């Protein structure tokens, strides 16, 4: 097989990305647009900086409830009427909150786009927060929390963040807890909306059957009535904690979820892409990664093993996980530790590095093959402040990552030698 | 609205969906050795989705060998005489491709997503492993451990998944859909190299395969590449036969409960035995598609409106239907109770909602709204080449035709209010049902 091709200088991942336009509305709202008429739909993605890290003390779950309530009645329409207007036109409108942002996603057939935009305007500008809707969404958030209360994977995530970010907003469960959610009031929710849903911290991208002029006008109609300035104070910068002894949480199941990690590299740090390449080599998701080969292929220890860089806005995180039967949990963890130690001591092989660059360059186009995927990629690039031309530059940046860069990234990710390890189940030998 | 439908209720099998005719111009042809080909051009991005589907799934597992279809799917990554273990994955990875495979009740499929210039390479490798697989105990034994870990992860640690298995086992008293796709733990433990090879030789043939290519390609280009690769695989003369038992007419309402200390949020679910798109005698499957949308598709559905909005006894409720099955399928209904509501009370309420629905009939507005959403899904699907490839592949693998897929929006449009009510009246009855409870145990 002809796998010896050297890394090519980046090709365009997508024809569409040649055509990212910066659209600025008369009122000064910016959006990035890819106009594409092949399929008669419009996809809009947007985010307000804020998110679950803004939840007040003892009020965890506020941002999640806010996201759940934005499509539960707005302007003249109660929840049922609002949902009916969306459903009758097959308009898909979703809001959700992560640690750093409150996000929304809108998808509509071209012929219903104007009505979709108007419903979005109502949702962000005039949400009602009716008492019955608050009660309903609260019950749904609580049911969601109960559903995963003893789920090993969910518990491992919660415990990992708790121990990595003790006392910090990032350490709290993003959906709150069963003790907190009942205490959230309408004032908490409305207060978070007025602080967060504003023009100064808004990012918007659009893909599909809409031109720049139309989008510019719609941006003012949708978002123009929002307050100019958000009142969001970002959480304090924090370095995730590591520990010498694993945190073990007992749940009576035959398999243990093992989650591990520590400090990562910030998204705009010069070492981010080297760390990203390193992560791909270690456990980035391809069947060729070291952990996949050592943990799954050679030893049959687990079905999946993955690692990732999670760049939070005020911290950095490198994390991975796997699930192994309790009797072999210690073996899995020691195989993972050995691969990390080997990458730190020796670095990857030249060929391994070359293959990783080839993969990351070649696969970039696969992130741009649907309207929603393009809009989401662009939105994240906008939020991260990487520039509207980043898609065109990105593959050259990956191609330029050298062995020295990757070794330096390994020093930064693994050099402390300590990781936070959380194991949930009945792991033996940890 | 916050989605609290238990994730485990997400169906494994792909729903039968078709794109708007204008959006996807498909091309179909058959190679001389009997292999069917579907090409779905999407010129927006220079990538292709390359899939090969085999018309065999877990429901074709021999008795006592449950899980063999899925186990073999794993073993298909273990190399051939021509390309040793790991080489295919290394090539896919070096080319920046994505790859994976999946097994369902009626089919098994393998796919890669790559830049369009690498399509020929993918076809060469995929055609090679149609007949060239080499297995040794050194790779078979650790991979069986991987599958056992997969089952532990998906089922053994998750009471919701255990309820799903128990309900299917109760619903299908005679048909193999009652056996989990991944297999029962004790039978997976016994699967070996000889089982895998026997199964492979029986089903992995050109006559039994469907090639689906979606993306930045022309049909003629695919045909030329397919002739050079898949076309070289020797035909066996006939497609292997599936030996399926038929489910008898059901008579008994069945109730199953999984009670576990890990369950903190109980719910009820029910499954009704109903025709699939393949086993319908008229147009019941289309009526059931519309019924599922009206009864349980989202926040405006009958179940959500009644149980969540009006009576305030559930935090969520819904329904869905899997039409794309070779044999009789199932219609599923679920509801998640509020804390002070018992599962029995919720069952009673569900019965009431369904009875009232049958009695009152379907409003023209709710029929039109449901059809709009179902047909819009097709436009949204046309935005996603990988999704389109799955729609066509899954349909052909259960014996539907491309024409039937393309006619789906028109068939949905033609469904009448009377047909929807008749489907509910006829199929959503106790004798066809399994009621499942997920409950807390101390």
């Amino acid at each position: 097989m002809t796998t010896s091709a050297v890394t090519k200088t980046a090709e365009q991942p997508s024809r569409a990305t040649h055509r990212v336009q910066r659209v600025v509305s008369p009122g000064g709202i910016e959006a990035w647009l890819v106009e594409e008429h092949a399929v008669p739909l419009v996809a809009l993605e947007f985010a307000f900086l804020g998110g679950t890290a803004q939840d007040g003390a003892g009020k965890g779950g506020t941002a999640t409830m806010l996201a759940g309530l934005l499509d539960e009645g707005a302007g003249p329409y109660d929840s049922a009427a609002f949902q009916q207007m969306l459903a009758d036109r097959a308009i898909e409108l979703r809001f959700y909150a992560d640690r750093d942002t409150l996000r929304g996603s809108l998808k509509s057939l071209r012929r219903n786009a104007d009505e979709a935009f108007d419903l979005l305007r109502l949702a962000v500008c005039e949400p009602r927060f009716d008492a019955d809707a608050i009660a309903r969404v609260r019950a749904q958030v609580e049911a969601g929390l109960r559903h995963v209360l003893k789920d090993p994977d969910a518990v491992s995530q919660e415990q990992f963040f708790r121990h990595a970010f003790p006392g910090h907003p990032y350490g709290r469960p993003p959906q709150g807890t069963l003790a907190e959610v009942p205490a959230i009031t309408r004032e908490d929710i409305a207060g978070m909306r007025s602080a967060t849903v504003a023009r100064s911290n808004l990012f918007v991208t659009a893909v599909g059957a809409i031109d720049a002029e139309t989008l510019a006008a719609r941006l003012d109609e949708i978002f123009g009535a929002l307050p100019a300035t958000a009142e969001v104070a970002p959480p304090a910068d924090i370095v995730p904690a590591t520990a010498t002894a694993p945190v073990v949480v007992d749940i009576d199941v035959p398999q243990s979820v093992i989650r591990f990690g520590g400090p990562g590299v910030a998204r705009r740090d010069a070492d981010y892409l080297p760390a990203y390449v390193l992560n791909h080599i270690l456990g980035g998701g391809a069947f060729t990664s070291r952990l996949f080969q050592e943990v799954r292929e050679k030893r049959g220890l687990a079905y999946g093993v993955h690692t990732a860089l999670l760049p939070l806005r005020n911290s950095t995180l490198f994390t991975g996980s796997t699930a192994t039967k309790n009797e072999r949990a210690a073996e899995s963890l020691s195989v993972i530790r050995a691969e990390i130690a080997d990458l730190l001591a020796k670095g990857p092989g030249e060929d391994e590095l070359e293959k990783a660059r080839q993969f990351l360059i070649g696969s970039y186009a696969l992130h741009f093959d649907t309207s929603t995927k393009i809009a989401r990629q662009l939105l994240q690039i906008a939020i991260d402040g990487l520039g509207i031309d980043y898609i065109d530059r990105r593959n050259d940046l990956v191609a330029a990552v050298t062995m020295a860069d990757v070794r330096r990234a390994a020093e930064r990710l693994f050099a402390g030698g300590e990781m936070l390890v959380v194991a949930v189940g009945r792991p033996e030998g940890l | 609205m916050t989605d609290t439908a238990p994730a485990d209720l997400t169906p494994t099998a792909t729903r039968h969906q078709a794109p708007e005719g204008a959006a996807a111009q498909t091309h179909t042809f058959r190679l001389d050795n009997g292999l069917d080909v579907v090409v779905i051009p999407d010129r927006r991005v220079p990538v292709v989705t390359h899939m090969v589907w085999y018309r065999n799934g877990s429901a074709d597992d021999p008795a006592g060998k449950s899980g063999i279809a899925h186990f073999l799917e794993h073993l298909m990554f273990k190399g051939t005489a021509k390309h040793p273990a790991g080489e295919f994955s290394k090539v896919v990875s070096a080319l920046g491709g994505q790859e994976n495979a999946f097994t369902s009740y009626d089919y098994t499929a393998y796919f890669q997503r790559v830049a369009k210039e690498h399509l020929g390479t993918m076809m060469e490798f995929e055609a090679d492993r149609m007949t060239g697989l080499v297995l040794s105990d050194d790779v078979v034994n650790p991979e069986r451990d991987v599958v056992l870990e997969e089952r532990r992860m998906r089922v053994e640690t998750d009471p919701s998944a255990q309820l799903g298995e128990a309900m299917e086992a109760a619903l299908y008293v005679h048909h193999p859909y009652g056996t989990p796709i991944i297999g029962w733990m004790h039978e997976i433990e016994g699967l070996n190299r000889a089982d895998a090879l026997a199964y492979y030789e029986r089903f992995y043939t050109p006559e039994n395969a469907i090639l689906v290519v979606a993306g930045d390609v022309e049909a003629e280009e695919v045909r030329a590449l397919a002739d050079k690769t898949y076309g070289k695989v020797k035909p066996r003369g006939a497609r292997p036969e599936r030996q399926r038992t038929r489910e008898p007419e059901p008579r008994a309402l069945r109730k199953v409960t999984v009670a576990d200390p890990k369950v903190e949020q109980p719910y009820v679910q029910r499954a009704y035995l109903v025709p699939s798109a393949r086993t319908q005698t008229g147009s019941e499957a289309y009526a059931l598609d519309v019924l599922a949308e009206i009864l349980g598709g989202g926040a405006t559905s009958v179940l959500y409106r009644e149980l969540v909005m009006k009576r305030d006894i559930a935090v969520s409720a819904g329904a869905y239907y899997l039409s794309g099955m070779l044999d009789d399928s199932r219609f599923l209904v679920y509801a998640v109770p509020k804390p002070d509501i018992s599962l029995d009370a919720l069952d009673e309420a569900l019965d009431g909602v369904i009875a009232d629905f049958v009695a009152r009939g379907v409003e023209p507005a709710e029929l039109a709204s449901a059809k709009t959403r179902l047909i819009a899904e097709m436009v949204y699907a046309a935005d996603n080449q990988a999704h389109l490839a799955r729609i066509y592949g899954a349909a052909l693998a259960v014996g539907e035709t491309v024409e039937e897929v393309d006619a789906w929006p028109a068939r949905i449009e033609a469904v009448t209010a009377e047909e929807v009510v008749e489907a509910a009246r006829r199929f959503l009855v106790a004798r066809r049902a399994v009621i499942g409870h997920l409950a807390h145990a101390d």
Side-chain angles (χ1 to χ4, degrees):
Chain A
M1 255 326 297
T2 53
T3 55
S4 53
V6 292
T7 303
K8 284 186 288 187
T9 303
E11 286 176 14
Q12 285 298 318
S14 155
R15 285 169 197 138
T17 60
H18 282 302
R19 300 183 273 113
V20 185
Q21 305 173 63
R22 184 191 310 274
V23 175
V24 181
S25 74
I29 296 168
E30 179 176 327
W32 294 356
L33 166 68
V34 175
E35 185 179 344
E36 166 64 70
H37 292 269
V39 182
L41 63 82
V42 179
L44 198 74
E45 296 283 321
F46 54 95
F48 300 94
L49 298 184
T52 66
Q54 299 296 316
D55 290 349
K59 297 292 177 87
T62 306
T64 300
M65 282 194 66
L66 170 60
L69 279 159
L70 289 176
D71 66 351
E72 284 279 345
Y77 308 114
D78 69 6
S79 175
F82 193 86
Q83 289 290 332
Q84 196 66 53
M85 295 183 66
L86 294 172
D88 288 349
R89 293 159 186 80
I91 297 165
E92 296 182 2
L93 176 62
R94 306 267 183 280
F95 294 94
Y96 53 100
D98 63 19
R99 286 184 168 80
D100 289 324
T101 57
L102 176 71
R103 295 191 185 211
S105 175
L106 177 74
K107 191 157 77 170
S108 172
L109 302 176
R110 177 177 50 203
R111 68 170 189 268
N112 296 330
D114 285 346
E115 288 147 306
F117 292 142
D118 198 50
L119 289 167
L120 172 58
R121 170 186 71 81
L122 285 172
V124 295
C125 296
E126 300 177 35
R128 287 160 58 129
F129 305 133
D130 289 336
D132 62 333
I134 290 175
R136 196 162 51 242
V137 169
R138 189 195 314 279
Q140 289 169 344
V141 171
E142 289 170 352
L145 290 172
R146 281 193 296 269
H147 185 65
V148 297
L149 203 60
K150 292 180 183 165
D151 174 77
D153 190 65
V155 170
S156 77
Q157 284 200 45
E158 190 208 319
Q159 290 293 321
F160 189 88
F161 276 88
R162 263 192 205 289
H163 285 87
F165 302 111
H168 187 276
Y170 285 158
R172 301 188 316 216
Q175 278 83 41
T177 64
L178 288 167
E180 294 174 297
V181 172
I184 295 168
T185 64
R186 185 181 191 280
E187 287 63 44
D188 296 327
I189 295 162
M192 177 172 279
R193 186 193 85 84
S194 35
T196 304
V197 181
R199 281 178 284 148
S200 65
N201 60 336
L202 168 65
F203 296 87
V204 187
T205 60
V207 176
I210 184 166
D211 62 47
E213 198 184 339
T214 309
L215 178 63
R218 298 294 175 267
L219 286 172
D220 279 346
E221 289 167 17
I222 300 166
F223 300 110
L226 292 177
T229 311
E231 292 161 34
V232 170
D237 288 347
I238 181 170
V239 176
T242 54
T244 44
V247 176
V248 176
V249 181
D250 181 78
I251 294 184
D252 185 9
V253 284
Q255 184 185 58
S256 298
V257 175
I258 301 170
R259 197 167 287 277
F260 53 92
V265 174
R267 185 61 188 87
R268 294 180 68 182
D269 190 303
D271 283 340
Y272 180 81
L273 281 177
Y276 187 68
V277 173
L278 175 71
N279 176 69
H280 176 76
I281 292 168
L282 176 65
F287 292 169
T288 46
S289 82
R290 283 195 176 197
L291 293 183
F292 193 91
Q293 287 298 316
E294 296 298 323
V295 173
R296 172 168 158 156
E297 292 297 292
K298 289 191 187 155
R299 295 178 179 83
L301 285 165
Y303 174 69
V305 54
H306 303 285
T307 59
L309 291 168
L310 301 181
L312 298 156
R313 287 183 76 80
N314 297 95
S315 187
T316 65
L317 198 59
F318 157 73
T319 177
S321 71
T322 191
T324 308
K325 70 175 173 178
N326 291 332
E327 298 86 335
R328 297 183 80 183
E331 184 186 352
S332 280
L333 186 57
S334 77
V335 169
I336 291 166
R337 285 190 192 277
E339 284 309 310
I340 288 174
D342 185 77
L343 270 178
L344 177 62
K346 300 185 199 145
E350 282 291 349
D351 183 58
E352 208 177 3
L353 173 58
E354 176 56 22
K355 292 287 188 342
R357 284 187 300 237
Q358 284 177 15
F359 172 84
L360 294 171
I361 289 170
S363 64
Y364 197 45
L366 300 178
H367 299 291
F368 297 93
D369 68 338
T370 78
S371 301
T372 301
K373 277 161 88 174
I374 295 170
R376 287 202 180 140
Q377 286 286 328
L378 284 172
L379 184 69
Q380 197 56 48
I381 289 167
I383 292 171
D384 290 337
L386 301 174
I388 195 167
D389 61 342
Y390 181 76
I391 294 173
D392 295 337
R393 294 185 290 113
R394 184 268 194 186
N395 275 353
D396 285 335
L397 296 174
V398 174
V401 170
T402 65
M403 182 62 80
D405 294 336
V406 172
R407 301 282 314 252
R408 192 174 62 250
E411 286 288 331
R412 290 185 61 181
L413 285 183
F414 312 138
E418 282 190 4
M419 292 195 302
L420 174 61
V421 174
V422 172
V424 180
R426 298 224 159 137
E428 292 180 14
L430 287 194
Chain B
M1 180 192 173
T2 298
D3 184 15
T4 53
D8 316 281
L9 300 188
T10 309
T12 326
T14 317
R15 178 144 155 232
H16 169 152
Q17 292 172 333
E20 202 173 53
Q25 261 321 324
T26 57
H27 305 268
T28 56
F29 51 91
R30 181 172 284 177
L31 302 187
D32 291 340
N33 59 9
L35 186 138
D36 287 319
V37 185
V38 182
V39 182
I40 310 161
D42 169 15
R43 317 311 299 260
R44 295 175 299 164
V45 191
V47 301
V48 291
T49 300
H50 168 246
M51 307 190 84
V52 170
W53 297 70
Y54 292 95
R55 295 170 172 98
N56 51 278
S58 64
D60 304 299
D61 290 350
K65 306 283 181 191
S66 68
I68 190 68
H70 172 254
F71 187 35
L72 183 70
E73 176 229 299
H74 278 235
L75 294 173
M76 285 287 282
F77 290 81
K78 297 301 182 185
T80 64
K82 202 168 161 195
H83 299 296
E87 189 183 326
F88 191 2
S89 290
K90 278 184 194 152
V91 169
V92 171
S93 182
L95 297 176
Q98 296 169 346
E99 61 173 336
N100 217 326
F102 53 88
T103 306
S104 190
Y105 296 99
D106 295 321
Y107 46 74
T108 310
Y110 302 81
F111 68 90
Q112 302 85 33
R113 307 193 59 234
V114 291
K116 64 170 181 171
E117 61 268 27
H118 304 308
L119 176 62
T121 304
M122 296 302 104
M123 291 170 82
E124 191 268 312
F125 272 91
E126 196 64 81
D128 172 55
R129 73 173 165 181
M130 188 177 289
T131 54
L133 186 65
V134 173
L135 294 178
S136 69
D137 283 344
D138 289 348
V139 298
V140 170
N141 294 340
E143 198 60 32
R144 185 173 48 239
D145 286 342
V146 168
V147 174
L148 291 168
E149 291 299 341
E150 182 179 2
R151 188 176 157 89
R152 283 188 193 101
M153 183 184 85
R154 295 191 194 283
V155 185
E156 305 299 319
T157 58
D158 182 359
S160 313
Q162 291 162 22
L163 177 66
E165 280 192 349
M167 289 181 65
E168 308 247 298
L171 185 71
Y172 293 101
V173 303
H174 190 52
H175 187 278
Y177 289 161
T179 301
I181 294 168
I182 197 169
W184 297 114
M185 200 81 185
H186 66 283
E187 291 191 351
I188 302 171
E189 284 167 348
L191 297 176
N192 61 33
R193 175 177 171 273
D195 297 328
L197 286 173
Y199 184 88
Y200 176 64
E201 276 155 26
R202 179 172 162 208
F203 284 117
Y204 283 67
T205 76
E207 293 95 334
N208 203 36
I210 302 152
L211 168 67
V212 181
V213 180
D216 195 2
V217 284
E218 296 289 353
E220 282 316 306
E221 190 185 341
V222 173
R223 186 194 290 267
L225 289 170
D227 277 332
K228 280 198 299 191
T229 53
Y230 295 102
K232 304 287 188 225
V233 181
K234 277 205 188 95
R236 303 279 189 89
R239 190 179 295 168
E241 265 183 54
R242 302 191 201 232
Q243 288 152 4
R244 297 281 179 91
T245 47
R246 212 179 103 198
E247 190 61 20
E249 191 60 19
R251 304 234 165 89
L253 171 63
R254 287 136 283 173
K255 295 189 182 185
V256 298
T257 298
V258 169
D260 188 293
K262 294 188 291 298
V263 174
E264 297 290 345
Q265 177 57 63
Y267 62 77
V268 300
Q269 194 181 355
R270 48 176 78 177
Y272 296 93
L273 188 72
V274 298
S276 68
R278 286 280 291 151
T279 62
Q280 63 183 338
T281 52
S283 53
E284 306 97 290
Y286 306 106
L288 287 164
D289 276 330
V290 178
L291 174 64
E293 186 62 29
I294 293 174
L295 200 59
T300 59
S301 69
V302 171
L303 287 166
Y304 191 92
R305 243 172 21 220
E306 285 296 323
L307 300 176
V308 180
M309 306 282 286
K310 282 193 194 153
R311 298 191 210 173
D312 200 22
I313 58 173
V315 297
S316 75
Y320 51 93
Y321 164 54
L322 308 169
S323 69
M325 307 287 288
L326 184 67
D327 298 314
D328 280 350
S329 184
R330 52 233 188 279
F331 188 103
L332 293 124
V333 174
Y334 69 89
V336 181
K338 293 197 79 175
D340 48 345
I341 303 297
S342 75
L343 296 182
D344 287 338
L346 200 53
D347 275 332
E348 209 171 304
L350 274 174
D351 286 336
V353 172
I354 293 169
D356 290 349
F357 174 76
V358 170
R360 76 148 163 97
V362 174
E363 301 287 337
E366 67 186 338
L367 182 65
S369 183
K371 287 179 179 177
T372 298
R373 285 192 299 286
L374 288 171
I375 292 166
E377 277 180 34
M378 306 310 107
V379 181
Y380 295 148
D383 188 38
N384 187 335
Q385 62 166 252
H387 189 180
L388 281 182
R390 286 180 78 129
I391 289 169
Y392 283 99
L396 267 65
V398 299
E400 295 178 62
T401 63
V402 166
E403 292 69 31
E404 283 169 320
V405 175
D406 292 340
W408 188 84
R411 301 298 304 263
I412 291 299
E413 199 58 72
V415 170
T416 66
E418 292 69 31
E419 287 172 325
V420 174
V421 176
E422 174 60 15
R425 194 194 57 74
R426 186 168 154 206
F427 296 117
L428 304 192
V429 293
R431 59 190 278 149
R432 310 191 72 84
V434 174
I435 292 177
H437 285 187
L438 186 70
H440 178 77
D442 290 317

